[in-house]
Amino acid sequence: MKAKKRTTIYDIAEKLNITASSVSRALNNSSHVNEETKKLVLKTAAELNYKRNILASNLRKGESKTIGIVVPRINQNIFSNVIAGIEETTYSKDYNLIICQSNESHEKEVKSVNALINQHVDCIVISVAAEGSDYSHLQNVIDHGIKLIQFDRVADDLETLKVLNDNHQASLEGITHMIEQGYKRIALLEGPQNLDIFRQRKQGYLEALKLHNLPVINELIIENAWTKELGADATRKLLNLPEPPDAIFASTSDFSALGVLEVATSMGIKVPSDLGILGYSNEPFTELTSPSITTIDQFSHYMGKTIANLYFQESENKESPIVPRTISVKPKLIIRASTSRRSYQ
Amino acid sequence: MKAKKRTTIYDIAEKLNITASSVSRALNNSSHVNEETKKLVLKTAAELNYKRNILASNLRKGESKTIGIVVPRINQNIFSNVIAGIEETTYSKDYNLIICQSNESHEKEVKSVNALINQHVDCIVISVAAEGSDYSHLQNVIDHGIKLIQFDRVADDLETLKVLNDNHQASLEGITHMIEQGYKRIALLEGPQNLDIFRQRKQGYLEALKLHNLPVINELIIENAWTKELGADATRKLLNLPEPPDAIFASTSDFSALGVLEVATSMGIKVPSDLGILGYSNEPFTELTSPSITTIDQFSHYMGKTIANLYFQESENKESPIVPRTISVKPKLIIRASTSRRSYQ
DNA sequence: CTGAAAGCGCTTACAG
DNA sequence: CTGAAAGCGCTTACAG
């Protein structure tokens, strides 16, 4: 069957000898419409296989019932879970999701955001790329009257709705746990410090050391070690130090922690007895490595649901302006074998 | 700043004392427009922070430049990779992606597909849910003149564009490899047989046995063992048999294979010496378990790119009807420790 | 309860 | 090269 012209409300109207107005009202379940008419319209619509043209409807109503999402990568645990969480909540309200990935490129992020503005989405949900520090494209979103919700990695200067983890607290708890396990020279693999989440994790690390009167050793702090490869490189460097660390906090991600584990194993260094390892994000694989990796769960699926609910809450009171605020989801330390040299199960 | 009325082409026209037609032409880079006018329009558009209303444009042009994707779960390796592959290709052509997940529910799949039809997407890309056998909603897509591309899990009766793995061949190769490693009683964990991919994998298994004159033992074939939990249950049952298998092919997924591995390990059964394990999909974690799991890579990212290219190819010759055809991406056996009792590295 | 008309913001044949 | 007009498919005040 070739692409034929689709059924419109005019086709239905013609068939029933009424006007398109009435058809529209019947289809929208308006109260000002005769029950008989409504039934007839619905029946005819089904017969003619009518599908409302949402584009036209949205254009007329000035809304799109669409939420745009921009994340660095969709196939990364936290992001796919957040998206899944959002999807489950928005689905029941007939909202569409348009997904873009920035691939950590600032340029692609800007382009994606602009494409979403063009699309007249009702809301943009974003976790910013590592690259870049100019967030005028996000200001632009707000200026166009589109709701903006930032999550996880946010531009903190921009006053918007934000859904975050308490990275500082999680990091503090993780390091405290390591100290309690007897680790004394704990190295830190940092993420790009232009991202607040990585700054916060560093602060948590520093605070934990301070609380336990441990010195901050600069040569144990490695910048930008946030992929598996960079984590591995950093570990090689650290373990070859005259005084190597007895633990490594891969604050950037579990992928980085995996790099640490692989290098340590290949060098014959025992985890956790000789080296403790703490990751971040609770990627599924952290449970499967040997030894399993202690990490921090961000409740990403729940974050997704929170984001969606926040949007709907804000949409309800259309008149009052949005009050920028931050919802903090408390992450949880998941203690596994890689840091448990005193006790594990 | 509150949601103000957006700049339209009329605002630009008014400011420049020309008509909206000219503005539109300038913005669309039409050839029939004065260079001077074009420059002025572009400049003014930038000044007024104009963003084209794609909804209106699409409505008028009868296209949407949007592709809808329906998958069982976005946070599953193959699906998030396919989506990423599609996204990378469509992004450069200014296409939007609307993502829906069926959560393996037929009802939700039908609803999502209908929502995408309403949305007037240009194409629907789908991998069907395990549940369900009625595919009239997909016929409906075609009847509405929307291009339909099925991938991975397809409704085979429906003649559409399909992008598939050669599951039969992959399975045949995997089992042959196991037989060569000396396994003789190879159990099969099946997926729902209403899905062709699982039927094909079973056929490959049966053919491999036949080619090597091994008997088909019915008690070694377990139905519907396609999650980690069900894989674990099946394994417990199999290993407690009077004559237990010496290998298990978790044809449904690596998650199922992981269930097998965990149960075997907890029962003190050595992998690969006492039990060989073959998974499917090359989930990232299969490299990390101990022992690492032999599996089959589906080149899902490449599949995504293939799907997008197929769509653009079909879009180019608008006149000629779509010739249903199947593109087969050859999967690859990834041999790891879990099946290598004769030799590994 | 229903009809006639205007309009959402664009694009595009048709004239000139 | 530019303008005037129609139309994409819907919704919604305004009358009646």
Side-chain angles (χ1 to χ4, degrees):
Chain A
M1 192 180 295
K2 56 177 298 191
K4 56 176 187 216
K5 198 180 155 307
R6 293 200 187 188
T7 308
T8 70
I9 53 173
Y10 288 96
D11 299 321
I12 300 175
E14 194 176 10
K15 186 149 187 181
L16 294 177
N17 244 326
I18 56 178
T19 59
S21 318
S22 295
V23 175
S24 174
R25 278 190 282 258
L27 255 20
N28 286 301
N29 213 4
S30 155
S31 52
H32 297 285
V33 63
N34 186 306
E35 272 304 319
E36 273 308 299
T37 319
K38 192 184 288 185
K39 268 183 204 153
L40 262 165
V41 168
L42 259 30
K43 184 163 157 285
T44 313
E47 278 169 18
L48 298 178
N49 202 6
Y50 170 78
K51 306 274 173 190
R52 169 186 317 193
N53 187 330
I54 301 281
L55 267 62
S57 169
N58 288 342
L59 176 60
R60 177 57 229 258
K61 292 198 286 188
E63 66 172 25
S64 69
K65 281 208 168 194
T66 300
I67 294 175
I69 304 182
V70 185
V71 293
R73 297 219 129 82
I74 60 169
N75 49 355
Q76 207 164 314
N77 194 47
I78 173 167
F79 299 125
S80 63
N81 278 328
V82 165
I83 294 172
I86 294 176
E87 203 270 349
E88 280 162 33
T89 309
T90 53
Y91 168 74
S92 58
K93 306 220 180 193
D94 284 332
Y95 267 68
N96 283 113
L97 254 38
I98 295 182
I99 319 272
C100 308
Q101 53 181 353
S102 65
N103 279 322
E104 304 288 7
S105 145
H106 185 254
E107 187 200 342
K108 196 168 174 204
E109 176 179 305
V110 173
K111 275 197 187 174
S112 298
V113 166
N114 284 333
L116 291 172
I117 296 177
N118 286 357
Q119 199 73 20
H120 278 221
V121 296
D122 294 331
C123 174
I124 291 181
V125 174
I126 190 168
S127 196
V128 301
E131 211 184 276
S133 55
D134 170 18
Y135 296 112
S136 53
H137 59 302
L138 297 185
Q139 183 58 50
N140 206 6
V141 171
I142 301 170
D143 293 348
H144 276 91
I146 296 173
K147 293 187 176 61
L148 179 66
I149 302 181
Q150 299 192 77
F151 77 95
D152 195 49
R153 300 194 203 158
V154 306
D156 27 331
D157 292 347
L158 216 58
E159 303 218 320
T160 67
L161 297 169
K162 293 173 188 162
V163 176
L164 298 175
N165 280 135
D166 188 340
N167 288 279
H168 180 104
Q169 178 63 22
S171 178
L172 174 61
E173 280 180 26
I175 300 296
T176 301
H177 155 72
M178 292 177 106
I179 295 172
E180 284 166 4
Q181 290 289 317
Y183 296 107
K184 292 196 166 57
R185 290 179 64 82
I186 303 172
L188 172 71
L189 307 190
E190 298 187 332
Q193 293 291 301
N194 58 323
L195 289 182
D196 60 334
I197 58 165
F198 297 130
R199 286 201 303 276
Q200 289 164 12
R201 291 177 195 175
K202 183 176 187 177
Q203 290 310 316
Y205 163 84
L206 295 174
E207 187 179 335
L209 294 188
K210 194 172 170 193
L211 283 173
H212 293 82
N213 297 313
L214 289 175
V216 174
I217 304 163
N218 283 327
E219 65 176 6
L220 296 186
I221 298 179
I222 312 283
E223 288 174 10
N224 274 342
W226 75 315
T227 62
K228 181 175 153 185
E229 287 68 31
L230 292 172
D233 292 347
T235 305
R236 247 171 249 119
K237 200 165 127 191
L238 284 168
L239 295 180
N240 282 318
L241 245 36
E243 283 190 89
D246 60 4
I248 298 180
F249 173 28
S251 80
T252 52
S253 71
D254 286 326
F255 293 98
S256 176
L258 182 60
V260 176
L261 177 58
E262 288 184 358
V263 166
T265 304
S266 76
M267 287 173 72
I269 290 169
K270 295 239 175 326
V271 177
S273 54
D274 300 338
L275 185 75
I277 301 176
L278 172 61
Y280 210 108
S281 283
N282 199 17
E283 292 283 340
F285 68 76
T286 50
E287 210 179 346
L288 304 169
T289 50
S290 1
S292 57
I293 300 174
T294 297
T295 185
I296 287 152
D297 191 293
Q298 302 177 279
F299 298 102
S300 41
H301 189 268
Y302 175 77
M303 282 177 85
K305 289 196 164 295
T306 303
I307 290 166
N309 288 330
L310 191 58
Y311 167 73
F312 288 120
Q313 210 172 303
E314 283 303 324
S315 304
E316 272 166 25
N317 45 350
K318 291 200 176 184
E319 302 317 316
S320 55
I322 291 177
V323 180
R325 62 186 185 280
T326 299
I327 295 185
S328 191
V329 175
K330 200 173 172 313
K332 189 180 170 206
L333 179 65
I334 310 285
I335 299 176
R336 297 211 185 91
S338 71
T339 56
S340 304
R341 64 175 172 188
R342 296 229 158 123
S343 60
Y344 181 58
Q345 287 183 349
Chain B
M1 192 179 298
K2 56 178 297 195
K4 55 172 188 218
K5 199 180 153 309
R6 292 199 187 188
T7 307
T8 70
I9 54 172
Y10 288 96
D11 299 323
I12 299 174
E14 193 175 12
K15 187 148 187 183
L16 293 177
N17 244 326
I18 55 179
T19 59
S21 319
S22 296
V23 175
S24 173
R25 279 189 282 258
L27 255 20
N28 286 302
N29 212 3
S30 156
S31 51
H32 298 285
V33 62
N34 186 305
E35 272 305 320
E36 273 309 300
T37 319
K38 192 184 290 186
K39 267 183 205 152
L40 263 166
V41 168
L42 259 29
K43 183 164 159 283
T44 313
E47 278 169 19
L48 298 177
N49 202 6
Y50 170 78
K51 306 275 172 190
R52 170 185 319 196
N53 186 331
I54 301 281
L55 266 60
S57 169
N58 288 342
L59 176 60
R60 176 56 229 258
K61 290 198 285 189
E63 65 171 28
S64 68
K65 280 208 169 196
T66 300
I67 293 175
I69 304 181
V70 184
V71 293
R73 297 219 128 80
I74 60 170
N75 51 353
Q76 206 164 314
N77 195 47
I78 172 166
F79 299 125
S80 63
N81 278 328
V82 165
I83 293 172
I86 295 176
E87 203 270 350
E88 280 162 32
T89 309
T90 53
Y91 167 75
S92 58
K93 306 219 179 192
D94 283 331
Y95 268 67
N96 283 114
L97 255 36
I98 297 183
I99 318 272
C100 308
Q101 53 182 352
S102 64
N103 278 324
E104 304 288 6
S105 144
H106 185 255
E107 186 199 342
K108 196 169 174 203
E109 176 179 305
V110 173
K111 275 198 187 172
S112 297
V113 166
N114 284 332
L116 291 172
I117 296 177
N118 286 357
Q119 199 73 22
H120 278 220
V121 296
D122 295 330
C123 174
I124 292 181
V125 175
I126 190 168
S127 198
V128 300
E131 212 184 276
S133 54
D134 170 18
Y135 295 115
S136 52
H137 60 301
L138 296 186
Q139 183 58 51
N140 206 6
V141 171
I142 301 171
D143 294 348
H144 276 90
I146 296 173
K147 293 189 178 57
L148 179 66
I149 302 180
Q150 300 192 79
F151 76 96
D152 195 47
R153 300 194 202 161
V154 306
D156 25 331
D157 292 346
L158 217 58
E159 303 217 322
T160 67
L161 296 169
K162 292 173 189 163
V163 176
L164 298 176
N165 280 136
D166 188 341
N167 288 278
H168 179 102
Q169 177 64 21
S171 178
L172 174 62
E173 279 179 28
I175 299 296
T176 300
H177 155 74
M178 292 177 104
I179 295 172
E180 285 166 2
Q181 291 289 315
Y183 295 108
K184 291 194 165 56
R185 291 179 63 82
I186 304 172
L188 172 71
L189 307 190
E190 298 186 334
Q193 293 291 300
N194 58 322
L195 290 182
D196 60 332
I197 58 165
F198 297 130
R199 285 201 303 276
Q200 289 164 11
R201 291 176 195 176
K202 184 177 186 176
Q203 289 309 316
Y205 163 84
L206 295 174
E207 187 179 334
L209 295 189
K210 194 173 169 193
L211 283 174
H212 292 81
N213 296 313
L214 289 175
V216 175
I217 304 163
N218 282 326
E219 65 176 8
L220 296 186
I221 298 179
I222 312 282
E223 289 175 8
N224 275 342
W226 75 314
T227 62
K228 182 175 154 185
E229 287 68 30
L230 292 172
D233 292 347
T235 305
R236 248 172 248 116
K237 201 165 125 192
L238 285 167
L239 295 179
N240 282 318
L241 245 35
E243 283 190 87
D246 60 4
I248 298 180
F249 173 28
S251 79
T252 52
S253 72
D254 286 326
F255 293 99
S256 177
L258 182 61
V260 176
L261 177 59
E262 289 183 359
V263 167
T265 304
S266 75
M267 288 173 72
I269 290 171
K270 296 239 176 328
V271 177
S273 55
D274 300 338
L275 184 75
I277 301 177
L278 172 62
Y280 210 109
S281 282
N282 200 18
E283 293 282 340
F285 68 76
T286 51
E287 210 179 349
L288 305 169
T289 50
S290 12
S292 57
I293 299 174
T294 298
T295 186
I296 287 152
D297 191 296
Q298 303 177 279
F299 298 103
S300 40
H301 189 267
Y302 175 77
M303 283 177 84
K305 289 197 165 293
T306 304
I307 290 166
N309 288 329
L310 192 57
Y311 166 73
F312 287 120
Q313 210 172 304
E314 284 302 324
S315 305
E316 272 166 25
N317 45 348
K318 290 200 177 184
E319 301 318 315
S320 54
I322 291 177
V323 180
R325 61 183 184 281
T326 299
I327 295 185
S328 190
V329 175
K330 201 173 171 316
K332 188 180 171 204
L333 179 65
I334 311 284
I335 298 175
R336 297 210 184 91
S338 71
T339 57
S340 304
R341 64 176 171 186
R342 296 230 158 125
S343 59
Y344 182 58
Q345 289 180 351

